[in-house]
Structure formats: C-alpha cells, structure tokens
Amino acid sequence: MLFKLAWRNLWRQKRRTLLTALALSLALFLSLFMRSMQEGSYENNIDNSARFSTGLLQLQNPEFSESQSIEDLLPGTTDFITPVTAPPLSPHITHHLPRIESFALASASERAKGVMVFGVEPERENSYSGIADKLIAGEFIDADDKQVLVGEGLARFLSIKLGDELVLYGQGYRGQTAAGLYKVKGIIHFPLAAMDNQLVYMPIKLAQTLYSTGEQVTSWVLHTDSLDMVAEVKSELVQAFGSKVNVRDWQQLSPEMAQQIAMDKAGGVFMMYLLYGVVGFGLFATILMMTLERQREFGVMLATGLLRRKLLGLIAIESGFIALIGVLIGLIITLPVVTYFHYHPIQLTGETAQLMLEMGWEPIIPMMLSFSLVFDQVKIVLGLMFICLLYPLWRAYRIDLVSALKGDSYG
Amino acid sequence: MSIEISQLSKTYNQESDFPVHAVKSLDLTIEQGEFVAVMGPSGSGKTTLLNMIGGIDTPTSGSVLIDSENICELDDKALIAFRRDHVGFIFQDYSLLPVLTALENVEFVMQLQGLSEKVCRARASELLTMVGLGEQMHKVPSKLSGGQQQRVAVARALAPRPRFVMADEPTANLDAKSTSELLDIMQSLNEKEGTTFIFSTHDQRVIKRAKRVIVFEDGKLTEDKQQ
Ligand SMILES: Nc1ncnc2c1ncn2[C@@H]1O[C@H](COP(=O)(O)OP(=O)(O)OP(=O)(O)O)[C@@H](O)[C@H]1O
Ligand SMILES: [Mg+2]
C-alpha cells in the first residue's frame, strides 16, 4: 500500500520528478562514461607497458629489488616454477618468462658504454611482447644462438653493424668475471630512448653462461589473464613461495606509472563527486519540497493512524523511486554507449597517437565494461539519496500534528 | 463507551506575556451513541476541545478518560494507535488522499489496522454504498464534488469501527443540499451502528439536527441542552 501510494505521489509533480531523475541520469551517464574511459585507458597502458618490459608480476630474490645484483638470484628450473604452471594458479597466469637482467660494459673498436643485458627465452618473450617486430636489421635470435640483438642507439654509439662483434665485460655470479665476445645478429629500434641506447638482448642460456649463474635467473616475469586478478594471484604466489621469493606487482615494478594513474584517477573521482554534489542539491530540493508542501496531508495521515516511522518510510520510498528512475534511465543511455566504445575503442590522433604508435602500441582508448564501475555509480546515487533524505525525514519526524492540521498546504 | 472530561484546560503560549486560555477547567461527559454538536463563536475553543478529545492535542491540565483510560498519559506512538483504532476524523476540507480513489481512501485506514485486503474491500464498498457513492467509488477525490468527498470522508471515519467520530465543522464548505444529505447519513449511521458523533459547527441548520448541543464561549461551557 505504501509503495502504491508513493508511486502515485511521484506523479503529482510529473515534471519535477522527471527533471530530478533526469539530472541523476545525466550525472550517472557522465560519471560512468568518464570512469569507464579512465579505467579502460589505465588497463590498456598497464597491459602495454607490462608487455613492453616489467610484466604484471615478477618473482625475484628478496634482496634483488634493493641490490639489483647478480648475486641475488632465483632458480630457473621447471621444478621451481611449478606453483605457477600447476592449478589452481595456472588458469590465471598466461605467461611466465625467465629472465636475466644485469649490467655490463660493452665495447667495440674504439668506444665503450655501460649497457643493460637482457637474457630471455626468445620465442616466449616474443610471443609476449612482440619484440621481433621492432627489428630494423638482421634477424631475431634463437634459443641456442651465441649472438645478440642491440638497440639502434647503442649500435650507432658503438659504430657497429650487423655481423660486427662486441665485447661484454662485467661481474658474474659469486665474484666471477663475466666476459664474452658476441656477434650482432640484429638491430632493434626501441621507442624509449633510454632502452634504445643501452639494451643488449641475448638468449637466456648465453646470459647464464656470461654471468656464470648456472640455471639461475634474476626474475620470473608473469602475466595474468586480467588486471583484476593481479592482487589475488599475487597473494597466492606469496603463499605458495613463502619468504624466499619476493613477489612484486606492476605498481612496485613501475611506481611512477602507478602514481600517475592514482593521481589521474583521483582527479576523475573528484570531478565525479563535484558533479553528483551539484545534482545532489537538486535532489535535496525536490525531496524537501515533497515533504514541506504536504505538511497538512501528513498531519491527516498521522491523525488517522499512520505511524510516524511509516510516514518516513513513505517519504523514503518516494525518494527511492526517484533515484531508481534516475539510475534506470542513466543505465539505459550509458550502457549501450560504453559497450559500443568497449568493442569499438576511441581512436587517438595527433601527438599521443604518434607516441603510442612508436611504442608499438595501438593508439586507442578502449572503454572498460565493468560491473563494479556500474555498481559504484549506483552506490553513489543511493548514498546521495540517503544524505538528501536526512533533513527532510527529520522535518517529517518532527511534524507537530496540531499545526500541521491547521495549515492549508494540502494537496 | 463513555468520554469523561474533567478539569480540562488548554493554554497556548503559556510562557509568554500573553497566554491564550483556549479551554478553561472544563467538565463534560459524553455517553455512547450520542450525537453532539459543539457550537460557539469563532475562537471560543471548539477545535481545541475536539483535538484534545480525539488525541491530537494534549491538554495543559485535566484529563480525558475514554472508557476509564486517560489518553492524556499516552505517548506519541500509543496515541497514534489510539486514534487509528478508536477515533474517526472528519475534516472541514475533506482531506482525502488525492492520489487514492474513494475506495482506496476508505481501505487505507483499515489497512493501517492490519486488516486483510478482502475485509477492507468488503467493508469499504459497503460503507461507500451506504453513503450513496456505490457508483463513484473508483473515482479519485478531484473527480468528486465537495459533498461527495465529504461523504467519502464519513465512510473513511466509520471504516475502522471507531468508538466515536470527531468532526470539526464538517459542513462548513458544503451547500444546503449537501449539508442536509451529509447530516442524514451521519444520523442514520449514528442510529444504525450506534457510533457516537461529536461535531463542531456554526450552522443553525446543523444544530437543529443535533440531539445534544453544547455551547462554548471563551473556553467555557455556557449551555448544555438535550433536544
Ligand atoms: N497553536 C495555537 N497557538 C496559539 N493560540 C492558539 C493556537 N491554536 C488556537 N489558539 C487560540 O486558542 C483559541 C481557541 O481556538 P480554536 O481554534 O479552538 O477556536 P474555534 O472555536 O475552533 O474557532 P473557529 O470557529 O474559528 O474554528 C483562539 O483564541 C485561538 O487564537
Ligand atoms: Mg475551529
């Protein structure tokens, strides 16, 4: 009965009810659209940059993050990595790549330079990052090659071409000397200058020989089937490997990107609350008017036996209906739009697009289609309604029967 | 059912320099089945008295005993339940819920008592037929004339089988014909169902139909006659 009464009461002021609901819908549309775009672009960036270098998760020796030293290693054996390749984790981990990452001094003919040496499993690495596409000369390496790939900038600096040799010299495992002479099999163009100028890529076996690490690696790079799974997979990895392994996620591996995303997100969320704040005033005004203009009607209901809490219930249901209509209309207009842009991502143009293209990334912003983003909006609208209800409900609760009945604000 | 009022007083603005003594030390007894008109000039305290008897307003002092229960001691929640179960109200401006049909308006007050939908429906349509609105019960108030709306209000007041019905100037907004129709209905319900009616009025025609007339002046009872 209260629901029927509330529903009909809404339509006593059709225009006001609809306008208020539509304002909510609009706020929901703008917020959800913006948040879906934000989260979609974060996800895209995180995924791109994970594939480009760090992965979403890494297993490292607990000392390695501090020391970056070739002394602090993990086993590179299939035995060691079984927790990753066996259920229950295996369905969620799409890639696991062993790597050696260390430093060396590279020299050729007259010049020398400090470089980063990446020892990788060529085929698996390529299927993860598509690095072979960035070759500008020569060929990609095979697992058993004794040759290396170098960044274009580095090759220029050292004045070496395909087939030339370079000497790598550094410190190996347990203080052994790491030294070797390698032929250049290919030259790679990295879009990031820092990498282009100092990267040497080689098969992991060759790197293990160079640094005398045996079967050990500096890290295992992991990728999950979705970004949302990272936290869960991380905690399971921590359980599975215990304290002998440091499990680091992309936030720890790329703190700058994580911070940038956090800032950007905070900006978006602030805008969203601002928007809802403005719309909230409209909602508040409507609910307050609905209450104040019906003092006499409420008085009559109380006189004829409606309990005060039911009266408050009636007002809450009426507001709830407005919020519900707002959310429904909002979702009806937003979901198709977000879904469309999820499957047909917005194409970027101009400088950003150029930059992304150079990185080898598609210049697009896919929209995120996520239940939790939608649910967030619904929660915000409900929260907003709750706040807007407090004062009107208090006013209704405090209605003085005698003066309410005397008043003539009926109907 | 009896209403026993003793030493009942109501003072508005008690704390201020100009307190208004709306009702002054009133003693009055009303018995089951009476049909009482309260008359008096404007501002004499009729509404205030009816509000205190109906459990809407609380007196400054004195007591209102309904079947020996002092309703002045009930808290807000108990008073609401008391009004719901024992008092029917008829207001000068009809005061029907505008979004409900005549039938739903009558049903609503019974549903507040927790009666089943079926029982509510049966009694509501019976009452509406009794007040001559058998054909109009699915109309909303705005589609009914003032007289018809007030008849719906009478049906609503009677629906929960209250011990008595309070009507504060029920005919003030009605023309002569509607007034006499309404009084016919109230009178026949008073006789048929034995419901006590207490109503205030300025209207001589209404006063003529009352069985007992109480005259009020300046918060005091000046005349109490059976006719
Ligand atoms: N809430 C209030 N605050 C202050 N004074 C009040 C209040 N309600 C009523 N009064 C005063 O109490 C006195 C009695 O008022 P009441 O409404 O009972 O008169 P009434 O006989 O019903 O008059 P009317 O025929 O005009 O309806 C009046 O002097 C009125 O001004
Ligand atoms: Mg009055």
Side-chain angles (χ1 to χ4, degrees), chain A residues 402 406, chain B residues 12-13 20 22 40-49 169 202:
Chain A
V402 179
K406 211 174 275 171
Chain B
Y12 289 109
N13 308 330
V20 180
S42 183
S44 56
K46 304 182 295 292
T47 298
T48 307
L49 173 65
E169 311 202 26
H202 292 286

Side-chain angles (χ1 to χ4, degrees), chain A residues 1 4-5 8-9 12 296-297 300-308 401-402 405 410, chain B residues 51 56-57 76 80 83-84 89 91 93 95-100 104 108-109 111-112:
Chain A
M1 192 66 177
K4 181 162 81 181
L5 193 56
R8 291 197 197 161
N9 278 333
R12 285 158 80 170
R296 165 131 174 96
E297 179 178 330
V300 170
M301 291 206 266
L302 290 171
T304 53
L306 185 74
L307 294 175
R308 273 182 203 268
L401 201 47
V402 179
L405 283 176
Y410 190 83
Chain B
N51 277 348
I56 282 176
D57 207 349
D76 183 70
I80 292 180
R83 293 192 302 259
R84 179 190 67 204
F89 288 95
F91 301 93
D93 64 357
S95 296
L96 301 173
L97 294 177
V99 295
L100 298 184
E104 289 165 338
F108 186 66
V109 291
Q111 286 176 351
L112 294 180

Side-chain angles (χ1 to χ4, degrees), chain A residues 16-193:
Chain A
R16 186 175 68 194
T17 300
L18 274 180
L19 278 178
T20 311
L22 282 177
L24 278 175
S25 308
L26 185 70
L28 187 140
F29 172 76
L30 293 174
S31 306
L32 187 54
F33 188 82
M34 178 188 71
R35 292 288 297 128
S36 298
M37 191 151 90
Q38 274 191 324
E39 291 297 332
S41 89
Y42 301 155
E43 188 179 58
N44 199 37
N45 287 352
I46 291 164
D47 191 81
N48 276 334
S49 86
R51 289 174 189 278
F52 192 65
S53 59
T54 60
L56 289 178
L57 285 161
Q58 279 193 21
L59 304 179
Q60 294 179 349
N61 183 299
E63 308 293 329
F64 187 78
S65 63
E66 278 287 309
S67 67
Q68 298 286 317
S69 157
I70 196 72
E71 299 297 334
D72 302 317
L73 301 173
L74 288 180
T77 57
T78 38
D79 244 15
F80 173 78
I81 205 69
T82 32
V84 166
T85 55
L89 273 175
S90 53
H92 297 298
I93 298 180
T94 55
H95 296 83
H96 63 283
L97 313 166
R99 272 195 199 157
I100 294 257
E101 289 181 32
S102 194
F103 307 101
L105 188 71
S107 61
S109 54
E110 281 144 40
R111 307 183 83 168
K113 188 177 191 331
V115 297
M116 281 289 298
V117 176
F118 264 48
V120 301
E121 280 198 2
E123 232 168 86
R124 278 157 78 182
E125 196 77 23
N126 186 40
S127 79
Y128 181 47
S129 64
I131 180 92
D133 298 340
K134 300 196 173 64
L135 271 178
I136 54 168
E139 281 172 52
F140 196 60
I141 43 176
D142 293 323
D144 298 319
D145 270 342
K146 306 286 182 231
Q147 306 180 33
V148 300
L149 305 176
V150 296
E152 190 189 9
L154 181 62
R156 208 180 309 118
F157 182 85
L158 295 175
S159 323
I160 48 177
K161 312 181 297 295
L162 274 188
D164 287 355
E165 287 178 327
L166 87 164
V167 173
L168 292 178
Y169 182 85
Q171 196 180 12
Y173 187 56
R174 298 263 154 93
Q176 299 177 66
T177 303
L181 182 68
Y182 305 100
K183 226 183 204 170
V184 176
K185 187 174 185 188
I187 293 177
I188 295 186
H189 172 72
F190 287 100
L192 281 182

